[in-house]
Amino acid sequence: EVELVQSGAEVKKPGESLKISCKGSGYNFTSDWITWVRQMPGQGLQWMGTIDPSDSYTNYSPSFQGHVTMSVDKSINTAYLHWSSLKASDTAIYFCGKLSGGYSSSWADYWGQGTRVTVSS
Amino acid sequence: DIQMTQSPSTLSASVGDRVTITCRASQGSFTWLAWYQQKPGKAPKLLIYEASNLQSGVSSRFSGSGSGTDFTLTIDSLQPDDVGTYYCQHYNSYSWAFGQGTKLEIK
């Protein structure tokens, strides 16, 4: 059974760093791209970027380029989303998704449960 | 970048109704479109991919159509469990774009 399990909720202060994770199981982790999506409180879904776990090639949304970093650790089937300096506006739920079919121009057929990030002084 | 516009933003319908949600792309001509359902506090769930293909395990009451810039999600015989927010999403090799969402409620 394909499953994406994300790390737990985080409460941070502005300026702090944070790395959240998304662990895949039940499939060949390096075969399918991973995407990250943000959902701010009461708002819709925003695409942040995608990463190819086989070679860590990344594609960022211009809205998030330079503010977050996507990475993977193939040895433990885990994708990460990292902030070096959080802002209050980063408060949101973050979802990871697995793209179908092994290519980047695809849809997400499985999703993690979401990680709630709260940034407040 | 391609912008996706959904209508309506909110929709209230009765059990048993047929409902339709539309999604329009600002440019392009493609079938690279998916539909997702999201319930409060939950992850999105894939319903339709490539504009008209039903995801495995999804009720056949859901169907998608369209190509080019105009797409439609139809739900036949609306059930109480269909409440939630529905998003269209365009995908290509370089980017994704979500519609703003359509909140579906039961009268």
Side-chain angles (χ1 to χ4, degrees):
Chain A
E1 177 191 5
V2 174
E3 198 171 16
L4 295 174
V5 178
Q6 296 186 232
S7 50
E10 301 274 2
V11 179
K12 292 288 189 179
K13 290 180 167 49
E16 292 186 332
S17 65
L18 174 65
K19 181 182 277 190
I20 62 175
S21 66
C22 170
K23 183 176 178 61
S25 62
Y27 73 102
N28 186 344
F29 182 74
T30 56
S31 293
D32 293 331
W33 290 59
I34 293 286
T35 192
W36 288 94
V37 169
R38 181 175 80 175
Q39 187 164 41
M40 299 176 77
Q43 302 300 309
L45 304 173
Q46 295 175 278
W47 175 69
M48 302 178 72
T50 50
I51 183 167
D52 182 351
S54 68
D55 61 6
S56 295
Y57 178 84
T58 54
N59 186 20
Y60 290 94
S61 162
S63 299
F64 293 91
Q65 177 89 48
H67 187 56
V68 296
T69 303
M70 296 181 293
S71 63
V72 297
D73 184 337
K74 294 188 291 185
S75 69
I76 55 172
N77 292 354
T78 300
Y80 299 97
L81 187 64
H82 175 250
W83 294 260
S84 59
S85 180
L86 286 161
K87 303 175 183 179
S89 57
D90 293 318
T91 295
I93 299 175
Y94 294 87
F95 295 101
C96 64
K98 181 190 83 64
L99 272 62
S100 176
Y103 48 98
S104 59
S105 59
S106 184
W107 54 91
D109 54 0
Y110 291 90
W111 294 84
Q113 82 277 18
T115 295
R116 183 181 298 272
V117 174
T118 302
V119 184
S120 175
S121 56
Chain B
D1 289 348
I2 295 176
Q3 309 295 322
M4 307 301 292
T5 302
Q6 287 180 233
S7 61
S9 296
T10 59
L11 178 57
S12 182
S14 300
V15 172
D17 282 355
R18 185 187 212 196
V19 301
T20 299
I21 300 170
T22 64
C23 179
R24 173 165 287 179
S26 60
Q27 60 181 296
S29 179
F30 52 83
T31 57
W32 296 334
L33 187 103
W35 290 95
Y36 300 90
Q37 176 196 63
Q38 187 183 34
K39 294 182 178 291
K42 299 295 186 182
K45 174 187 175 182
L46 177 68
L47 301 174
I48 301 288
Y49 61 93
E50 289 183 332
S52 61
N53 293 295
L54 187 69
Q55 170 68 356
S56 175
V58 174
S59 172
S60 59
R61 297 185 296 103
F62 292 89
S63 62
S65 64
S67 63
T69 59
D70 293 307
F71 303 87
T72 299
L73 174 70
T74 300
I75 309 173
D76 287 323
S77 186
L78 189 68
Q79 298 300 304
D81 190 52
D82 296 335
V83 296
T85 302
Y86 292 80
Y87 295 93
C88 65
Q89 177 233 334
H90 166 61
Y91 50 87
N92 61 33
S93 294
Y94 309 104
S95 68
W96 281 18
F98 286 100
Q100 80 277 17
T102 295
K103 187 175 182 179
L104 175 60
E105 302 170 339
I106 300 292
K107 283 183 183 175

